[in-house]
Amino acid sequence: YVPPLRKGQEKELMHSPSLEYCKRKMWLAEDESGEVVGRICAMISTRYNEKYGTRRVRFGWFDLIDDVRVGKLLMEAAESWAKSCGMEEIHGPLSYNTLGRQGMLVEGFDKLAPFSCLYNYPYYVDMMKELGFEKECDWLQYKLVANHGVPDKARRVAKLVEERYNLRFISIDKLKKDTEMVRKFFRLYNDSFAQTVYNFIPLTEEE
């Protein structure tokens, strides 16, 4: 496992456009010598709670040593703040929006971790149970071998779809220069994912 770049984490955490509608609080846990042994960020997304009719706080950027006492202190801090803000449930690990890294690895610790997904050690799973959490849903990752080629059936289906809906390929560089096309893409992204992706929060204009 290769941890994400610090600069990237800092940007995601401190300078996200999602902070326009999210409020958050962060904590570090230290041992007696002042060594950092854990961290957590608690977030309240008004857009999520309004969309799903909940009063939930989410937690993320959750990392700690293999010591349930540290996990308990971090969670108690997050939960106490959440209750003071009128929240009733806590869920995570999540980011501010659906584009961020989310979820917790429960199987496949021997596999190479994708850069877009969270990684955690196996002890996190037992610790979460000990802290009173239960699994809400399963997210699955699939690995496709790139050098096996595209199956003929997939090619035939792609051709049919291309002809039926008058689709065409365009350069990604050309797309980036077409502001209106980019906006159409993200509007379609929001519409497509709104009813199909678990916990989805439509992206704002700024995001």
Side-chain angles (χ1 to χ4, degrees):
Y1 173 65
V2 179
L5 296 172
R6 288 187 181 184
K7 205 69 181 171
Q9 286 227 314
E10 181 186 332
K11 185 176 180 182
E12 289 172 13
L13 184 60
M14 305 299 292
H15 307 292
S16 170
S18 308
L19 289 170
E20 179 185 343
Y21 60 85
C22 283
K23 77 175 169 180
R24 56 113 202 268
K25 195 157 186 180
M26 301 174 284
W27 294 266
L28 288 176
E30 297 180 348
D31 64 15
E32 294 83 356
S33 68
E35 184 79 16
V36 173
V37 292
R39 68 177 186 181
I40 194 169
C41 175
M43 301 152 276
I44 297 173
S45 168
T46 54
R47 285 169 59 80
Y48 175 88
N49 283 329
E50 287 168 6
K51 177 174 172 57
Y52 294 101
T54 58
R55 301 183 70 81
R56 281 182 157 189
V57 63
R58 48 181 53 200
F59 69 92
W61 287 275
F62 181 60
D63 278 300
L64 72 166
I65 62 170
D66 188 2
D67 187 333
V68 71
R69 295 173 302 170
V70 177
K72 194 168 186 292
L73 283 171
L74 290 168
M75 283 299 174
E76 283 177 350
E79 290 170 0
S80 176
W81 175 73
K83 286 176 183 174
S84 73
C85 296
M87 299 297 107
E88 297 171 348
E89 294 179 314
I90 184 168
H91 66 150
L94 293 162
S95 185
Y96 299 119
N97 66 25
T98 319
L99 286 179
R101 293 180 180 90
Q102 49 193 325
M104 180 168 279
L105 192 63
V106 297
E107 293 178 18
F109 296 100
D110 58 323
K111 303 291 190 288
L112 189 64
F115 80 95
S116 60
C117 299
L118 283 171
Y119 180 85
N120 52 267
Y121 291 113
Y123 67 78
Y124 280 57
V125 182
D126 294 330
M127 186 180 293
M128 295 309 293
K129 290 176 183 174
E130 197 168 340
L131 292 172
F133 284 82
E134 59 185 40
K135 184 169 65 174
E136 187 171 55
C137 71
D138 281 310
W139 287 332
L140 305 179
Q141 296 177 27
Y142 293 93
K143 182 178 181 180
L144 300 177
V145 182
N147 64 357
H148 282 192
V150 179
D152 289 337
K153 183 178 179 181
R155 289 184 186 278
R156 289 196 302 272
V157 171
K159 186 68 175 172
L160 287 170
V161 172
E162 188 180 340
E163 291 171 354
R164 179 179 295 177
Y165 297 104
N166 193 26
L167 302 178
R168 69 188 194 279
F169 290 98
I170 64 170
S171 157
I172 190 70
D173 292 325
K174 183 178 178 182
L175 173 64
K176 287 177 181 178
K177 295 172 185 173
D178 188 337
T179 307
E180 185 50 37
M181 187 67 79
V182 171
R183 291 183 188 281
K184 282 182 180 177
F185 171 85
F186 279 108
R187 281 197 291 270
L188 182 61
Y189 174 89
N190 275 347
D191 291 345
S192 300
F193 280 27
Q195 304 302 322
T196 57
V197 175
Y198 192 78
N199 271 341
F200 181 69
I201 308 171
L203 298 176
T204 63
E205 193 74 15
E206 185 64 25
E207 286 170 322

